[in-house]
Coordinates of all heavy atoms in Angstrom, one line a residue:
M867 N 7.7 21.5 -11.5 CA 8.0 20.7 -12.7 C 7.8 19.2 -12.4 O 8.3 18.7 -11.5 CB 9.4 21.0 -13.1 CG 9.9 20.3 -14.4 SD 11.6 20.6 -14.8 CE 11.5 22.3 -15.3
P868 N 7.0 18.6 -13.3 CA 6.8 17.1 -13.1 C 8.1 16.3 -13.1 O 9.0 16.7 -13.8 CB 5.9 16.7 -14.3 CG 5.3 18.0 -14.8 CD 6.3 19.1 -14.4
D869 N 8.1 15.3 -12.3 CA 9.3 14.5 -12.2 C 9.9 14.0 -13.6 O 11.1 14.0 -13.8 CB 9.1 13.2 -11.3 CG 9.1 13.6 -9.8 OD1 9.3 14.8 -9.5 OD2 8.8 12.7 -9.0
Q870 N 9.0 13.5 -14.5 CA 9.5 13.0 -15.7 C 10.1 14.1 -16.6 O 11.1 13.9 -17.2 CB 8.3 12.4 -16.5 CG 8.8 11.6 -17.8 CD 7.8 10.9 -18.5 OE1 6.6 11.2 -18.4 NE2 8.1 9.9 -19.3
L871 N 9.6 15.3 -16.5 CA 10.2 16.4 -17.3 C 11.5 16.8 -16.6 O 12.5 17.0 -17.4 CB 9.2 17.6 -17.3 CG 9.7 18.9 -18.0 CD1 10.0 18.5 -19.5 CD2 8.7 19.9 -17.9
L872 N 11.6 16.8 -15.3 CA 12.8 17.1 -14.6 C 13.9 16.1 -14.9 O 15.0 16.4 -15.2 CB 12.6 17.2 -13.1 CG 13.8 17.6 -12.3 CD1 14.4 19.0 -12.7 CD2 13.4 17.7 -10.8
E873 N 13.5 14.8 -14.9 CA 14.4 13.7 -15.2 C 14.9 13.8 -16.7 O 16.1 13.6 -16.9 CB 13.7 12.4 -15.0 CG 14.6 11.2 -15.1 CD 13.9 9.9 -14.8 OE1 12.7 9.9 -14.3 OE2 14.5 8.8 -14.9
S874 N 14.0 14.2 -17.6 CA 14.5 14.3 -19.0 C 15.4 15.5 -19.1 O 16.4 15.4 -19.8 CB 13.2 14.6 -19.9 OG 13.6 15.0 -21.2
E875 N 15.2 16.6 -18.4 CA 16.1 17.8 -18.4 C 17.5 17.4 -17.9 O 18.5 17.8 -18.5 CB 15.5 18.9 -17.6 CG 14.4 19.7 -18.4 CD 15.0 20.5 -19.5 OE1 16.0 21.2 -19.4 OE2 14.4 20.4 -20.6
L876 N 17.5 16.8 -16.7 CA 18.8 16.5 -16.1 C 19.5 15.3 -16.6 O 20.7 15.3 -16.8 CB 18.5 16.3 -14.6 CG 18.1 17.5 -13.8 CD1 17.8 17.2 -12.3 CD2 19.0 18.7 -13.9
F877 N 18.8 14.2 -17.0 CA 19.4 13.0 -17.4 C 19.4 12.7 -18.9 O 20.0 11.8 -19.4 CB 18.8 11.8 -16.7 CG 18.8 12.0 -15.2 CD1 17.8 11.4 -14.4 CD2 19.8 12.6 -14.5 CE1 17.8 11.5 -13.0 CE2 19.8 12.8 -13.1 CZ 18.8 12.2 -12.4
G878 N 18.5 13.5 -19.6 CA 18.3 13.3 -21.1 C 17.3 12.2 -21.4 O 16.7 11.6 -20.5
H879 N 17.0 12.0 -22.7 CA 16.1 11.0 -23.1 C 16.4 10.5 -24.5 O 17.1 11.1 -25.2 CB 14.6 11.5 -23.0 CG 14.3 12.6 -24.0 ND1 14.3 13.9 -23.6 CD2 14.1 12.6 -25.3 CE1 14.0 14.7 -24.6 NE2 13.9 13.9 -25.7
K880 N 15.8 9.3 -24.8 CA 16.0 8.7 -26.1 C 14.7 9.0 -26.9 O 13.6 9.2 -26.3 CB 16.1 7.2 -26.0 CG 17.3 6.7 -25.2 CD 18.6 7.1 -25.9 CE 18.9 6.1 -27.1 NZ 20.1 6.5 -27.8
K881 N 14.9 9.1 -28.2 CA 13.7 9.3 -29.1 C 12.7 8.2 -28.8 O 13.0 7.0 -28.7 CB 14.2 9.2 -30.5 CG 13.1 9.3 -31.6 CD 13.7 9.2 -33.0 CE 12.6 9.3 -34.0 NZ 13.1 9.1 -35.3
G882 N 11.4 8.7 -28.6 CA 10.3 7.8 -28.4 C 10.1 7.4 -26.9 O 9.2 6.6 -26.6
A883 N 10.9 7.9 -26.0 CA 10.8 7.6 -24.6 C 9.4 8.0 -24.0 O 8.9 7.4 -23.1 CB 11.9 8.2 -23.8
F884 N 8.8 9.1 -24.6 CA 7.5 9.6 -24.1 C 6.9 10.4 -25.3 O 7.6 10.7 -26.3 CB 7.6 10.4 -22.8 CG 8.6 11.5 -22.9 CD1 8.3 12.8 -23.4 CD2 9.9 11.3 -22.5 CE1 9.2 13.8 -23.5 CE2 10.9 12.3 -22.6 CZ 10.5 13.6 -23.1
T885 N 5.7 10.7 -25.2 CA 5.0 11.5 -26.2 C 5.7 12.8 -26.4 O 6.0 13.5 -25.4 CB 3.5 11.7 -25.8 OG1 2.9 10.5 -25.6 CG2 2.8 12.5 -26.9
G886 N 6.1 13.1 -27.6 CA 6.8 14.4 -27.9 C 8.4 14.2 -27.9 O 9.0 15.2 -28.2
A887 N 8.9 13.1 -27.5 CA 10.3 12.9 -27.6 C 10.7 12.4 -29.0 O 10.8 11.2 -29.3 CB 10.8 11.8 -26.6
V888 N 10.9 13.4 -29.9 CA 11.1 13.1 -31.3 C 12.6 12.9 -31.7 O 12.9 12.5 -32.8 CB 10.4 14.2 -32.2 CG1 8.9 14.1 -32.1 CG2 10.9 15.5 -31.9
N889 N 13.5 13.3 -30.8 CA 14.9 13.2 -30.9 C 15.5 12.7 -29.6 O 15.0 12.9 -28.6 CB 15.5 14.5 -31.3 CG 15.0 15.0 -32.7 OD1 15.0 14.3 -33.6 ND2 14.7 16.3 -32.7
D890 N 16.7 12.2 -29.7 CA 17.5 11.9 -28.5 C 17.9 13.3 -28.0 O 18.1 14.2 -28.7 CB 18.8 11.1 -28.9 CG 18.6 9.7 -29.2 OD1 17.4 9.2 -29.1 OD2 19.5 9.0 -29.6
R891 N 18.0 13.4 -26.7 CA 18.4 14.6 -26.0 C 19.4 14.4 -24.9 O 19.2 13.5 -24.1 CB 17.2 15.3 -25.4 CG 17.5 16.7 -24.8 CD 16.2 17.4 -24.4 NE 16.5 18.7 -24.0 CZ 17.1 19.1 -22.9 NH1 17.5 18.1 -22.0 NH2 17.3 20.3 -22.5
I892 N 20.5 15.1 -24.9 CA 21.5 15.0 -23.9 C 21.1 15.8 -22.7 O 20.6 17.0 -22.9 CB 22.9 15.5 -24.4 CG1 23.4 14.5 -25.4 CG2 23.9 15.6 -23.2 CD1 24.7 15.0 -26.1
G893 N 21.1 15.3 -21.5 CA 20.7 16.0 -20.3 C 21.7 16.9 -19.8 O 22.9 16.9 -20.2
L894 N 21.3 17.8 -18.8 CA 22.2 18.8 -18.3 C 23.4 18.2 -17.5 O 24.5 18.8 -17.5 CB 21.4 19.7 -17.3 CG 20.3 20.6 -18.0 CD1 19.5 21.3 -17.0 CD2 21.0 21.5 -19.0
F895 N 23.2 17.0 -16.9 CA 24.4 16.4 -16.3 C 25.5 16.0 -17.3 O 26.6 16.2 -17.0 CB 23.9 15.1 -15.5 CG 23.6 15.4 -14.1 CD1 22.2 15.6 -13.7 CD2 24.5 15.5 -13.1 CE1 21.9 15.8 -12.4 CE2 24.2 15.7 -11.8 CZ 22.8 15.9 -11.4
E896 N 25.1 15.5 -18.4 CA 26.1 15.2 -19.4 C 26.7 16.4 -20.0 O 27.9 16.5 -20.3 CB 25.5 14.3 -20.5 CG 25.4 12.9 -20.2 CD 25.0 12.0 -21.4 OE1 25.9 11.7 -22.1 OE2 23.8 11.7 -21.5
Q897 N 25.9 17.5 -20.2 CA 26.4 18.7 -20.7 C 27.4 19.3 -19.7 O 28.3 20.0 -20.2 CB 25.2 19.7 -21.0 CG 24.4 19.3 -22.1 CD 23.2 20.3 -22.3 OE1 23.4 21.5 -22.1 NE2 22.1 19.8 -22.7
A898 N 27.2 19.1 -18.4 CA 28.1 19.7 -17.4 C 29.3 18.8 -17.1 O 30.1 19.1 -16.2 CB 27.3 19.9 -16.1
D899 N 29.4 17.6 -17.8 CA 30.5 16.7 -17.6 C 31.8 17.4 -17.5 O 32.2 18.2 -18.4 CB 30.5 15.6 -18.6 CG 31.4 14.4 -18.3 OD1 31.6 14.2 -17.1 OD2 31.9 13.8 -19.2
G900 N 32.6 17.2 -16.4 CA 33.8 17.8 -16.2 C 33.7 19.2 -15.6 O 34.7 19.9 -15.4
G901 N 32.5 19.6 -15.3 CA 32.3 20.9 -14.7 C 31.3 20.9 -13.5 O 31.3 19.9 -12.8
T902 N 30.5 21.9 -13.4 CA 29.6 22.1 -12.2 C 28.2 22.3 -12.7 O 28.0 23.0 -13.7 CB 30.1 23.3 -11.4 OG1 31.4 23.1 -11.0 CG2 29.2 23.5 -10.2
I903 N 27.3 21.7 -12.0 CA 25.8 22.0 -12.2 C 25.2 22.6 -11.0 O 25.5 22.1 -9.9 CB 25.1 20.7 -12.7 CG1 23.7 21.0 -13.2 CG2 25.1 19.6 -11.6 CD1 23.1 19.8 -13.9
F904 N 24.4 23.6 -11.1 CA 23.7 24.2 -10.0 C 22.3 23.8 -10.0 O 21.5 24.0 -11.0 CB 23.8 25.7 -10.1 CG 23.1 26.5 -9.0 CD1 23.4 26.3 -7.7 CD2 22.0 27.3 -9.4 CE1 22.7 27.0 -6.7 CE2 21.3 28.0 -8.4 CZ 21.7 27.8 -7.0
L905 N 21.8 23.2 -8.9 CA 20.4 22.8 -8.7 C 19.8 23.7 -7.7 O 20.0 23.6 -6.5 CB 20.3 21.3 -8.3 CG 21.0 20.3 -9.2 CD1 20.9 18.9 -8.6 CD2 20.4 20.3 -10.6
D906 N 18.9 24.6 -8.2 CA 18.3 25.6 -7.4 C 16.9 25.0 -6.9 O 16.3 24.2 -7.6 CB 18.0 26.9 -8.2 CG 17.6 28.1 -7.3 OD1 17.9 28.0 -6.1 OD2 17.2 29.1 -7.8
E907 N 16.6 25.4 -5.6 CA 15.3 24.9 -5.0 C 15.2 23.4 -5.0 O 14.2 22.8 -5.3 CB 14.1 25.5 -5.7 CG 14.1 27.0 -5.7 CD 13.9 27.6 -4.3 OE1 13.6 26.8 -3.4 OE2 14.2 28.8 -4.2
I908 N 16.3 22.7 -4.6 CA 16.4 21.3 -4.6 C 15.3 20.7 -3.6 O 14.9 19.5 -3.8 CB 17.8 20.8 -4.2 CG1 18.0 19.3 -4.5 CG2 18.2 21.1 -2.8 CD1 17.9 18.9 -5.9
G909 N 14.9 21.5 -2.6 CA 13.9 21.0 -1.7 C 12.5 20.8 -2.3 O 11.6 20.2 -1.7
E910 N 12.3 21.3 -3.5 CA 11.0 21.2 -4.2 C 10.8 19.9 -4.9 O 9.7 19.6 -5.3 CB 10.8 22.4 -5.1 CG 10.9 23.7 -4.5 CD 9.7 24.0 -3.5 OE1 8.6 23.5 -3.8 OE2 10.0 24.6 -2.5
V911 N 11.9 19.1 -5.1 CA 11.7 17.9 -5.9 C 11.2 16.8 -5.0 O 11.4 16.7 -3.8 CB 13.1 17.4 -6.5 CG1 13.6 18.5 -7.5 CG2 14.1 17.0 -5.5
A912 N 10.4 15.9 -5.6 CA 9.7 14.8 -4.9 C 10.8 13.8 -4.4 O 11.9 13.7 -4.9 CB 8.8 14.0 -5.9
R913 N 10.4 13.2 -3.3 CA 11.4 12.2 -2.7 C 11.7 11.1 -3.6 O 12.8 10.6 -3.6 CB 10.8 11.6 -1.4 CG 10.9 12.6 -0.2 CD 10.4 12.1 1.1 NE 11.0 10.8 1.5 CZ 12.1 10.7 2.2 NH1 12.8 11.8 2.6 NH2 12.6 9.6 2.6
T914 N 10.8 10.7 -4.5 CA 11.1 9.6 -5.5 C 12.2 10.1 -6.4 O 13.0 9.3 -6.8 CB 9.8 9.2 -6.3 OG1 9.2 10.4 -6.8 CG2 8.8 8.6 -5.4
F915 N 12.2 11.4 -6.8 CA 13.2 11.9 -7.7 C 14.5 12.1 -6.9 O 15.6 11.9 -7.5 CB 12.8 13.2 -8.3 CG 13.8 13.7 -9.3 CD1 13.8 13.1 -10.6 CD2 14.7 14.6 -9.0 CE1 14.8 13.5 -11.5 CE2 15.7 15.0 -10.0 CZ 15.7 14.4 -11.2
Q916 N 14.4 12.4 -5.6 CA 15.6 12.5 -4.8 C 16.5 11.2 -4.8 O 17.7 11.2 -4.8 CB 15.3 12.9 -3.4 CG 14.7 14.3 -3.2 CD 14.3 14.6 -1.8 OE1 14.8 14.0 -0.8 NE2 13.3 15.5 -1.7
V917 N 15.8 10.1 -4.9 CA 16.5 8.8 -5.0 C 17.3 8.7 -6.2 O 18.4 8.3 -6.2 CB 15.5 7.6 -4.9 CG1 16.1 6.2 -5.2 CG2 14.8 7.6 -3.5
K918 N 16.7 9.1 -7.4 CA 17.4 9.1 -8.6 C 18.6 10.0 -8.6 O 19.7 9.7 -9.2 CB 16.4 9.4 -9.8 CG 15.3 8.4 -10.0 CD 14.3 8.9 -11.0 CE 13.2 7.8 -11.0 NZ 12.2 8.2 -12.0
L919 N 18.4 11.2 -8.0 CA 19.5 12.1 -7.9 C 20.6 11.6 -7.1 O 21.8 11.7 -7.4 CB 19.0 13.4 -7.4 CG 19.9 14.6 -7.4 CD1 20.5 14.9 -8.7 CD2 19.2 15.8 -6.8
L920 N 20.3 10.9 -6.0 CA 21.3 10.3 -5.1 C 22.1 9.3 -5.8 O 23.3 9.2 -5.6 CB 20.6 9.7 -3.8 CG 21.5 9.1 -2.8 CD1 22.5 10.1 -2.3 CD2 20.7 8.5 -1.7
R921 N 21.4 8.5 -6.6 CA 22.2 7.5 -7.4 C 23.2 8.1 -8.3 O 24.3 7.6 -8.5 CB 21.2 6.6 -8.2 CG 20.5 5.5 -7.4 CD 19.9 4.5 -8.3 NE 18.9 3.9 -7.6 CZ 17.6 3.9 -7.8 NH1 17.1 4.5 -8.9 NH2 16.7 3.3 -7.1
V922 N 22.8 9.2 -9.0 CA 23.8 9.9 -9.8 C 25.0 10.4 -9.0 O 26.1 10.2 -9.4 CB 23.1 11.1 -10.6 CG1 24.2 11.9 -11.3 CG2 22.0 10.6 -11.5
L923 N 24.7 10.9 -7.9 CA 25.8 11.4 -7.0 C 26.7 10.3 -6.5 O 27.9 10.4 -6.5 CB 25.3 12.2 -5.9 CG 24.5 13.5 -6.2 CD1 23.9 14.1 -5.0 CD2 25.3 14.5 -7.0
Q924 N 26.1 9.2 -6.2 CA 26.9 8.0 -5.6 C 27.7 7.3 -6.7 O 28.8 6.9 -6.5 CB 26.0 7.1 -4.9 CG 25.5 7.6 -3.6 CD 24.5 6.7 -2.9 OE1 23.8 5.9 -3.5 NE2 24.4 6.8 -1.6
D925 N 27.0 7.0 -7.8 CA 27.6 6.2 -8.9 C 28.3 6.9 -10.0 O 29.1 6.4 -10.7 CB 26.5 5.3 -9.5 CG 25.8 4.4 -8.5 OD1 26.3 4.2 -7.4 OD2 24.6 4.0 -8.8
G926 N 28.0 8.3 -10.1 CA 28.6 9.0 -11.2 C 28.1 8.6 -12.6 O 28.8 8.7 -13.6
E927 N 26.8 8.1 -12.6 CA 26.2 7.7 -13.9 C 24.8 8.2 -14.0 O 24.1 8.3 -13.0 CB 26.2 6.2 -13.9 CG 27.5 5.5 -13.9 CD 27.4 4.0 -13.9 OE1 26.4 3.4 -13.5 OE2 28.4 3.3 -14.4
V928 N 24.4 8.5 -15.2 CA 23.0 8.8 -15.5 C 22.5 7.8 -16.5 O 23.2 7.2 -17.3 CB 22.9 10.3 -16.1 CG1 23.3 11.3 -15.1 CG2 23.7 10.4 -17.4
R929 N 21.2 7.6 -16.5 CA 20.5 6.8 -17.4 C 19.4 7.6 -18.1 O 18.4 7.9 -17.4 CB 19.9 5.5 -16.8 CG 19.4 4.5 -17.8 CD 19.0 3.2 -17.2 NE 18.0 3.4 -16.2 CZ 16.7 3.1 -16.4 NH1 16.3 2.7 -17.6 NH2 15.8 3.3 -15.5
P930 N 19.6 8.0 -19.3 CA 18.5 8.8 -20.0 C 17.2 8.0 -20.0 O 17.2 6.8 -20.1 CB 19.1 9.0 -21.4 CG 20.5 8.8 -21.3 CD 20.7 7.8 -20.2
L931 N 16.1 8.7 -20.0 CA 14.8 8.1 -20.1 C 14.7 7.3 -21.4 O 15.1 7.8 -22.4 CB 13.7 9.2 -20.1 CG 13.3 9.9 -18.8 CD1 12.3 11.0 -19.0 CD2 12.7 8.9 -17.9
G932 N 14.1 6.1 -21.3 CA 14.0 5.3 -22.5 C 15.2 4.5 -22.9 O 15.2 3.8 -23.9
S933 N 16.3 4.7 -22.1 CA 17.5 4.0 -22.4 C 17.8 2.9 -21.4 O 17.4 3.1 -20.2 CB 18.7 5.0 -22.5 OG 19.9 4.3 -22.7
N934 N 18.5 1.8 -21.8 CA 18.9 0.8 -20.8 C 20.4 0.9 -20.6 O 21.0 0.1 -19.9 CB 18.4 -0.6 -21.2 CG 18.9 -0.9 -22.6 OD1 19.6 -0.2 -23.2 ND2 18.5 -2.1 -23.0
R935 N 21.1 1.9 -21.1 CA 22.5 2.1 -20.9 C 22.8 3.3 -20.0 O 22.1 4.4 -20.2 CB 23.2 2.4 -22.3 CG 23.0 1.2 -23.2 CD 23.6 1.5 -24.6 NE 24.8 0.7 -24.7 CZ 25.6 0.9 -25.7 NH1 25.5 1.8 -26.5 NH2 26.7 0.1 -25.8
R936 N 23.7 3.2 -19.2 CA 24.1 4.2 -18.3 C 25.3 5.0 -18.9 O 26.1 4.3 -19.6 CB 24.5 3.7 -16.9 CG 23.3 3.1 -16.2 CD 23.7 2.7 -14.8 NE 22.6 2.0 -14.1 CZ 21.6 2.7 -13.5 NH1 21.6 4.0 -13.5 NH2 20.6 2.1 -12.9
R937 N 25.4 6.2 -18.6 CA 26.6 7.0 -19.1 C 27.3 7.6 -17.9 O 26.7 8.2 -17.0 CB 26.0 8.1 -20.0 CG 25.3 7.6 -21.2 CD 24.8 8.7 -22.1 NE 24.1 8.1 -23.2 CZ 23.3 8.8 -24.0 NH1 23.0 10.0 -23.7 NH2 22.7 8.2 -25.0
R938 N 28.6 7.6 -17.9 CA 29.4 8.1 -16.8 C 29.5 9.6 -17.0 O 29.6 10.2 -18.1 CB 30.9 7.6 -16.9 CG 31.0 6.1 -16.8 CD 31.1 5.5 -15.5 NE 32.0 6.0 -14.5 CZ 31.7 6.1 -13.2 NH1 30.6 5.6 -12.8 NH2 32.6 6.5 -12.4
V939 N 29.4 10.3 -15.8 CA 29.5 11.7 -15.7 C 30.4 12.1 -14.5 O 30.4 11.4 -13.5 CB 28.2 12.5 -15.7 CG1 27.4 12.4 -16.9 CG2 27.3 12.0 -14.5
D940 N 31.2 13.1 -14.7 CA 32.0 13.6 -13.6 C 31.6 15.1 -13.4 O 32.0 16.0 -14.1 CB 33.5 13.6 -14.0 CG 34.4 14.1 -12.9 OD1 34.0 14.2 -11.8 OD2 35.6 14.4 -13.2
V941 N 30.7 15.3 -12.5 CA 30.1 16.6 -12.3 C 30.1 17.0 -10.8 O 29.8 16.2 -9.9 CB 28.6 16.6 -12.8 CG1 27.9 17.9 -12.5 CG2 28.5 16.2 -14.2
R942 N 30.5 18.2 -10.5 CA 30.4 18.8 -9.2 C 29.0 19.4 -9.1 O 28.5 20.1 -10.0 CB 31.4 19.9 -9.0 CG 31.3 20.5 -7.7 CD 32.4 21.6 -7.5 NE 33.5 21.3 -8.3 CZ 34.2 22.2 -9.0 NH1 33.9 23.5 -8.9 NH2 35.2 21.9 -9.8
V943 N 28.3 19.1 -8.0 CA 26.9 19.6 -7.8 C 26.9 20.6 -6.7 O 27.4 20.4 -5.6 CB 25.9 18.4 -7.5 CG1 24.5 19.0 -7.2 CG2 25.9 17.4 -8.7
V944 N 26.3 21.8 -7.0 CA 26.0 22.8 -6.0 C 24.5 22.9 -6.0 O 23.9 23.1 -7.0 CB 26.7 24.1 -6.4 CG1 26.3 25.2 -5.4 CG2 28.2 24.0 -6.6
A945 N 23.9 22.9 -4.8 CA 22.5 22.9 -4.7 C 22.1 23.9 -3.6 O 22.8 24.2 -2.7 CB 21.9 21.5 -4.3
A946 N 20.9 24.5 -3.8 CA 20.3 25.5 -2.9 C 18.9 25.1 -2.5 O 18.2 24.5 -3.3 CB 20.3 26.9 -3.6
I947 N 18.6 25.5 -1.3 CA 17.2 25.3 -0.8 C 16.8 26.5 0.0 O 17.7 27.1 0.6 CB 17.2 24.0 0.1 CG1 15.8 23.7 0.6 CG2 18.1 24.1 1.3 CD1 15.6 22.3 1.3
N948 N 15.6 26.9 -0.1 CA 15.1 28.2 0.5 C 14.5 28.0 1.9 O 13.9 28.9 2.5 CB 14.2 28.9 -0.4 CG 12.9 28.3 -0.6 OD1 12.7 27.1 -0.1 ND2 11.9 28.9 -1.2
R949 N 14.6 26.8 2.4 CA 14.0 26.5 3.7 C 15.1 25.8 4.6 O 16.2 25.5 4.1 CB 12.9 25.5 3.6 CG 11.7 26.1 2.8 CD 10.6 25.1 2.8 NE 10.9 24.0 1.9 CZ 10.3 23.7 0.8 NH1 9.2 24.4 0.4 NH2 10.6 22.7 0.0
S950 N 14.8 25.6 5.9 CA 15.7 25.0 6.8 C 15.9 23.5 6.4 O 14.9 22.7 6.4 CB 15.2 25.1 8.2 OG 16.0 24.2 9.0
L951 N 17.1 23.1 6.0 CA 17.4 21.7 5.6 C 17.1 20.8 6.7 O 16.5 19.7 6.5 CB 18.8 21.6 5.1 CG 19.2 20.3 4.4 CD1 18.2 20.0 3.3 CD2 20.6 20.4 3.9
E952 N 17.5 21.2 7.9 CA 17.2 20.3 9.1 C 15.7 20.1 9.3 O 15.3 18.9 9.6 CB 17.8 20.9 10.4 CG 19.4 20.9 10.4 CD 20.0 22.1 9.5 OE1 19.2 23.1 9.2 OE2 21.2 22.0 9.2
T953 N 14.9 21.1 9.1 CA 13.5 20.9 9.3 C 12.9 20.0 8.2 O 12.1 19.2 8.5 CB 12.8 22.3 9.2 OG1 13.3 23.1 10.3 CG2 11.3 22.2 9.4
E954 N 13.4 20.2 7.0 CA 12.9 19.4 5.9 C 13.2 17.9 6.1 O 12.4 17.0 5.8 CB 13.5 19.9 4.5 CG 13.0 21.2 4.1 CD 11.5 21.3 3.9 OE1 11.0 20.6 3.0 OE2 10.9 22.1 4.6
I955 N 14.4 17.7 6.6 CA 14.8 16.3 6.9 C 14.0 15.7 8.1 O 13.5 14.6 8.0 CB 16.3 16.2 7.2 CG1 17.1 16.5 5.9 CG2 16.7 14.9 7.8 CD1 18.6 16.7 6.2
G956 N 13.8 16.5 9.1 CA 13.1 16.1 10.3 C 11.6 15.8 9.9 O 11.0 14.9 10.5
E957 N 11.1 16.5 9.0 CA 9.7 16.3 8.6 C 9.6 15.3 7.4 O 8.5 15.2 6.8 CB 9.0 17.7 8.3 CG 8.9 18.5 9.6 CD 8.2 19.8 9.3 OE1 7.7 20.1 8.2 OE2 8.2 20.6 10.3
V958 N 10.6 14.7 7.1 CA 10.7 13.6 6.1 C 10.3 14.1 4.7 O 9.6 13.4 3.9 CB 9.9 12.4 6.5 CG1 10.3 11.1 5.7 CG2 10.1 12.0 8.0
R959 N 10.6 15.3 4.4 CA 10.4 15.9 3.0 C 11.7 15.8 2.2 O 11.6 16.0 1.0 CB 9.8 17.3 3.1 CG 8.4 17.3 3.6 CD 7.8 18.7 3.4 NE 8.4 19.7 4.2 CZ 7.9 20.2 5.3 NH1 6.8 19.8 5.8 NH2 8.6 21.1 6.0
F960 N 12.8 15.7 2.9 CA 14.1 15.7 2.2 C 14.9 14.5 2.7 O 15.0 14.4 4.0 CB 14.8 17.0 2.3 CG 15.9 17.2 1.3 CD1 15.6 17.7 0.1 CD2 17.2 16.9 1.6 CE1 16.6 17.9 -0.9 CE2 18.2 17.1 0.7 CZ 17.9 17.6 -0.5
R961 N 15.6 13.8 1.9 CA 16.4 12.6 2.3 C 17.6 13.1 3.0 O 18.4 13.9 2.4 CB 16.8 11.8 1.1 CG 15.6 11.1 0.4 CD 16.1 10.3 -0.8 NE 17.0 9.3 -0.3 CZ 16.8 8.1 0.0 NH1 15.5 7.6 -0.1 NH2 17.7 7.2 0.3
E962 N 17.9 12.6 4.2 CA 19.1 13.0 4.9 C 20.4 12.6 4.2 O 21.4 13.3 4.2 CB 19.1 12.3 6.3 CG 20.2 12.7 7.2 CD 20.1 12.2 8.6 OE1 19.2 11.4 8.9 OE2 20.9 12.7 9.4
D963 N 20.4 11.4 3.5 CA 21.5 10.9 2.8 C 21.9 11.7 1.5 O 23.0 11.7 1.0 CB 21.5 9.4 2.5 CG 20.2 9.0 1.8 OD1 19.3 9.9 1.5 OD2 20.1 7.8 1.5
L964 N 20.9 12.5 1.1 CA 21.2 13.3 -0.1 C 21.8 14.6 0.3 O 22.7 15.1 -0.3 CB 19.8 13.6 -0.8 CG 19.9 14.4 -2.1 CD1 20.9 13.8 -3.1 CD2 18.6 14.6 -2.7

């Protein structure tokens, strides 16, 4: 899944943020506010997207695509990876701080 589509799914978007964004959309993090979100195959996301995900985990805020406002979220994250996490970190494919 391309990063921009994944970002839109998880963080939401504002109308007009990209071609085809005809309405505002609430992302999965906001939908899961007060609960748990499961991120499967987290090792498949690009390192550039890992930075955005880390910011959400550290700050407890999401910024929908096309918006300049952040929204607070209180979400427990459960993630899965189908490879050795230590190997992925050692080969610089996965951020150690994430």
